[in-house]
Amino acid sequence: MATRALINIVERQEGRSFSKLLEPSAIHTQIYKHYDGYPEGLGVTLANYLQGYEILNGIPNNHQGPIANGIGCLAAQLVSYIKDEPGNIYLQPPQDRDWEDYVYYIWIKENSRIMISIFNYDDVCIYVGDCESLIEKYEYNDR
């Protein structure tokens, strides 16, 4: 059985709550993931990849560390990172949750820290925070 998830990449805006589901029209890019969408899997994968990213307007010379030239550039880089074979990962027009177990929002704002929200199958927000805190909360540690 698959643990399906939606990954929504959205622009942070003043007055928009991190802990409420958004209308599809507010979503820049939506990615459907068919398998392993639970926070300990997909959540940690997203956070590990996105931590330390800088969202800029333009690409500076001699910059060190991961950067994206705006929200579209970050979305393309993220798809390139998580899509490694046919199936499992799909781009789709933004739409409401259907039968997905989890919904992720990746909140993007130029020159600001990336934030992530996670909603469970009951549309309850189970996480809001930065990448580092998500890793700390959900990364499996058997020690």
Side-chain angles (χ1 to χ4, degrees):
M1 183 152 170
T3 306
R4 299 166 298 275
L6 292 177
I7 304 165
N8 297 314
I9 302 172
V10 297
E11 190 170 344
R12 286 169 57 178
Q13 293 180 357
E14 194 69 34
R16 186 178 277 173
S17 174
F18 291 161
S19 59
K20 293 186 180 175
L21 294 169
L22 298 178
E23 293 294 320
S25 62
I27 298 168
H28 181 279
T29 303
Q30 187 172 76
I31 304 164
Y32 169 75
K33 180 166 174 52
H34 191 71
Y35 294 105
D36 299 328
Y38 48 89
E40 297 83 357
L42 178 59
V44 171
T45 296
L46 293 172
N48 274 322
Y49 180 71
L50 295 170
Q51 71 178 342
Y53 251 89
E54 287 188 65
I55 312 302
L56 306 172
N57 182 8
I59 302 172
N61 293 330
N62 301 322
H63 186 274
Q64 293 187 349
I67 64 168
N69 187 16
I71 192 169
C73 182
L74 181 76
Q77 289 181 66
L78 180 59
V79 170
S80 175
Y81 177 72
I82 62 176
K83 177 79 173 169
D84 59 359
E85 62 185 352
N88 192 25
I89 302 291
Y90 302 88
L91 290 174
Q92 62 186 28
Q95 54 194 302
D96 287 325
R97 159 203 299 261
D98 187 8
W99 39 286
E100 294 81 16
D101 300 291
Y102 293 97
V103 176
Y104 293 79
Y105 287 93
I106 299 172
W107 300 91
I108 306 299
K109 184 175 181 183
E110 191 176 305
N111 297 314
S112 295
R113 176 175 267 183
I114 293 173
M115 301 292 284
I116 298 175
S117 301
I118 306 173
F119 294 81
N120 69 12
Y121 51 86
D122 290 322
D123 293 338
V124 173
C125 185
I126 60 170
Y127 178 80
V128 174
D130 62 20
C131 296
E132 293 79 10
S133 298
L134 190 151
I135 294 165
E136 186 176 303
K137 180 173 182 172
Y138 288 107
E139 188 170 52
Y140 177 73
N141 187 348
D142 63 355
R143 294 181 210 185

